[in-house]
Amino acid sequence: PSEDGLRAIARALPEQPIDMFENGIGNAVCFTEIMRDIFGVQPDSAFGYSMGEISMMYALGIWDGPDAMSKTLRSTPVFQTRLAGRMDTLREAWDIPADAPDGSFWTGFTLLASAEDTAKAIGDDPYVKLLLINTSSSCVIAGKPENCGAVIEKLGCDYFPAALGDVIHCDLVRADYQGLSDLHLTPVNEVEGIDFYTAVDYKHLEVDMQGIADNIAEMYCNPVDFPRLIDTVYEEGNRIFLELGPRDQCTKAIGATLHGKEHLAVAFNRKGATDHVSLLKSLALLYPTNEKELTLKLSLKMNLIRIAFNF
C-alpha cells in the first residue's frame, strides 16, 4: 500500500479490536524472539501495560502460539458484540437504544491531568470511566462523548482522542467476567528464571492455568495504574527496561515515573523510524560502556556488527 493507504489502515485499526490485539501480540512475540534468540538479551522480569499482560504470556512462552485464541476471539461474542462492535454490554448497562449507531456512546480521551483531579471531575457521573493511569500527569477516560467533554471542561486540561474500540478497564466489564476468563483459559508452560508481574493487586503473577485466566478477566474489570506497577517492579531491583511491543508508550511512562532514579528504559519500535534503525538504536543504548554496565552477553558485539552490515 501507499503511505496514505498505510495511514488510513492505521487510523482504522482501533475500530477493529481483534485485529489490533493480534497486531500487538504479533509484534511483541517477534521483537522478543529477535532480542532473545539473536542478541541473547534474557529477561529477569516481565510486565505489561493493559493487554500487554496477554502479549507477555505468548512472547515469553507461558502460552503456546496464539492461533487457538485467534479462532476463539472471532467465534465468541465477548469481543464481537459484547465489549466491542455493538457493545451490547454497554447498551444494556446504560439502556442505549437498539438503533443507536455503534461507537456513538463510547469515546476515549487521553487527558494531561492527574488521576486524582480527573476522578474528582468525574464525581458520580456514571457515564464517564477512568480507565488508565499512564503517568502522574496523564490518564485515559472513556464514556459518552458529551459527559467526557464536561469532565475535560471542568479540568481545563489539554487532551487528545484515545483510540478505544472496546469497553475495557472499568466496572461495566464485570458482566462479561466469565466470558473473559473462559477466553483466556489456555494451557500453560512452566517458565523458569523470569518473575512475572500483574496489574491486579500489583504483585507477582502465579503461573497457573485457571489463575491466569481469572486474573486477566479481573484486570479487564478494573482501571490500570501503570505508575504503581512500574514502582512495584522497580522496588524489587529491576533497573533496565526493554519495551518489546508497538511504539514507545511504556518507555515514556517508565521514564516519567522513575525520573531522577537510576534506570534505563529502551523501546524497540518507534513511530517514524524503521524497525532496523530502532533496533540498532536500542542495542546501542543497551551495549555496555564499561564492565559495571555489562548487561548483555559478549556475543552481542559480533551480532551488532553483523546486523549492521546486513542492513
Side-chain angles (χ1 to χ4, degrees), residues 47-62:
F47 65 108
Y49 173 87
S50 183
M51 199 201 73
E53 287 198 20
I54 298 171
S55 299
M56 168 178 84
M57 307 294 177
Y58 287 115
L60 294 175
I62 290 180

Side-chain angles (χ1 to χ4, degrees), residues 49 110 132-136 138-140 224 226-227 230 249 253 257:
Y49 173 87
T110 297
L132 297 158
I133 303 172
N134 294 329
T135 68
S136 60
S138 172
C139 60
V140 178
V224 169
F226 196 51
I230 294 168
Q249 180 177 346
T257 301

Side-chain angles (χ1 to χ4, degrees), residues 21 29 55 59 73 103 115 144 154 157 159 183 258 292 296:
F21 295 165
V29 170
S55 299
L73 276 169
K144 290 187 175 181
K154 284 183 187 178
C157 65
Y159 68 95
L183 175 63
L258 300 179
K292 182 179 179 181
L296 305 181

Side-chain angles (χ1 to χ4, degrees), residues 35-108:
M35 279 297 185
R36 295 185 78 184
D37 298 344
I38 297 178
F39 294 104
V41 181
Q42 301 299 333
D44 298 306
S45 305
F47 65 108
Y49 173 87
S50 183
M51 199 201 73
E53 287 198 20
I54 298 171
S55 299
M56 168 178 84
M57 307 294 177
Y58 287 115
L60 294 175
I62 290 180
W63 289 343
D64 292 328
D67 289 354
M69 183 175 287
S70 176
K71 293 176 182 177
T72 305
L73 276 169
R74 297 178 185 279
S75 61
T76 56
V78 178
F79 285 108
Q80 290 284 349
T81 58
R82 295 290 298 167
L83 300 178
R86 282 184 45 80
M87 296 186 178
D88 287 334
T89 297
L90 199 55
R91 290 177 184 268
E92 294 164 8
W94 287 353
D95 197 23
I96 302 293
D99 59 354
D102 295 351
S104 64
F105 45 85
W106 182 256
T107 305

Side-chain angles (χ1 to χ4, degrees), residues 191-231:
V191 176
E192 296 182 353
I194 303 176
D195 292 325
F196 295 91
Y197 294 86
T198 176
V200 177
D201 295 329
Y202 304 91
K203 62 181 182 180
H204 282 256
L205 177 67
E206 297 298 327
V207 180
D208 166 78
M209 182 173 170
Q210 185 65 59
I212 287 176
D214 290 343
N215 193 83
I216 291 172
E218 187 65 29
M219 180 186 65
Y220 274 111
C221 295
N222 292 279
V224 169
D225 185 341
F226 196 51
R228 182 179 173 187
L229 183 58
I230 294 168
D231 284 336

Side-chain angles (χ1 to χ4, degrees), residues 102-255:
D102 295 351
S104 64
F105 45 85
W106 182 256
T107 305
F109 297 92
T110 297
L111 311 185
L112 301 186
S114 70
E116 293 78 11
D117 290 343
T118 301
K120 289 178 183 177
I122 294 172
D124 58 0
D125 188 339
Y127 301 114
V128 183
K129 303 295 180 181
L130 174 61
L131 309 185
L132 297 158
I133 303 172
N134 294 329
T135 68
S136 60
S137 58
S138 172
C139 60
V140 178
I141 64 170
K144 290 187 175 181
E146 61 272 22
N147 296 69
C148 290
V151 169
I152 293 169
E153 187 174 353
K154 284 183 187 178
L155 290 166
C157 65
D158 290 333
Y159 68 95
F160 50 90
L164 289 174
D166 55 340
V167 182
I168 193 173
H169 294 315
C170 65
D171 56 351
L172 297 165
V173 183
R174 186 70 61 182
D176 290 278
Y177 177 95
Q178 192 58 53
L180 284 164
S181 178
D182 291 344
L183 175 63
H184 297 96
L185 192 62
T186 302
V188 300
N189 302 309
E190 184 176 349
V191 176
E192 296 182 353
I194 303 176
D195 292 325
F196 295 91
Y197 294 86
T198 176
V200 177
D201 295 329
Y202 304 91
K203 62 181 182 180
H204 282 256
L205 177 67
E206 297 298 327
V207 180
D208 166 78
M209 182 173 170
Q210 185 65 59
I212 287 176
D214 290 343
N215 193 83
I216 291 172
E218 187 65 29
M219 180 186 65
Y220 274 111
C221 295
N222 292 279
V224 169
D225 185 341
F226 196 51
R228 182 179 173 187
L229 183 58
I230 294 168
D231 284 336
T232 297
V233 176
Y234 187 83
E235 287 167 5
E236 297 210 357
N238 297 281
R239 296 292 180 267
I240 299 173
F241 301 86
L242 179 58
E243 182 176 2
L244 294 172
R247 302 298 185 245
D248 58 353
Q249 180 177 346
C250 293
T251 298
K252 291 176 179 176
I254 291 166

Side-chain angles (χ1 to χ4, degrees), residues 254-273:
I254 291 166
T257 301
L258 300 179
H259 180 71
K261 296 182 179 179
E262 182 184 20
H263 76 283
L264 174 66
V266 180
F268 186 107
N269 175 266
R270 293 179 181 274
K271 187 175 182 178

